[in-house]
Amino acid sequence: MADRPRDLAERMARRRKAAGKPGPTARGDGYLRETFTLPRAAARERAQAFFARYPKAGYMSEVEIWRELPGGEIEFTMRRLPSAD
């Protein structure tokens, strides 16, 4: 017999609880995140390479947050889904 949605939800909750509490960067929303701190030109190249490897249409990739640091470097976080299903 096929599992009911409730069975699936309970199984996922048990796994999450068994794995322990997530760390400060884990948000439990299913996205994978990578944070970079690079000079402006290198940051732009890195973001373009990220989008080439993980296209927005398939992975819902985006620059989640960015800021310019006092030394002129850019700190940014890229996020994407684990697979392009």
Side-chain angles (χ1 to χ4, degrees), residues 1 4-5 8 10 13 21-22 26 28 30 32 34 37 39-40 43 51 55 67 69 84:
M1 184 170 134
R4 297 175 302 170
L8 177 61
E10 289 173 352
K21 293 184 178 180
L32 299 177
E34 295 181 59
T37 303
R40 185 178 298 270
F51 287 128
R67 66 183 179 142
L69 299 174

Side-chain angles (χ1 to χ4, degrees), residues 56-84:
K56 291 180 186 183
Y59 292 89
M60 294 178 58
S61 303
E62 70 175 13
V63 177
E64 185 172 50
I65 189 168
W66 69 275
R67 66 183 179 142
E68 186 172 358
L69 299 174
E73 290 188 317
I74 305 296
E75 179 181 75
F76 61 103
T77 300
M78 304 289 296
R79 79 175 190 179
R80 67 177 175 88
L81 290 174
S83 65

Side-chain angles (χ1 to χ4, degrees), residues 16-61:
R16 188 177 307 124
K17 188 174 183 179
K21 293 184 178 180
T25 58
R27 298 188 181 131
D29 60 3
Y31 284 97
L32 299 177
R33 290 172 173 82
E34 295 181 59
T35 300
F36 305 94
T37 303
L38 300 166
R40 185 178 298 270
R44 182 175 288 129
E45 290 174 11
R46 183 65 186 115
Q48 289 172 344
F50 189 93
F51 287 128
R53 183 170 180 172
Y54 306 108
K56 291 180 186 183
Y59 292 89
M60 294 178 58
S61 303

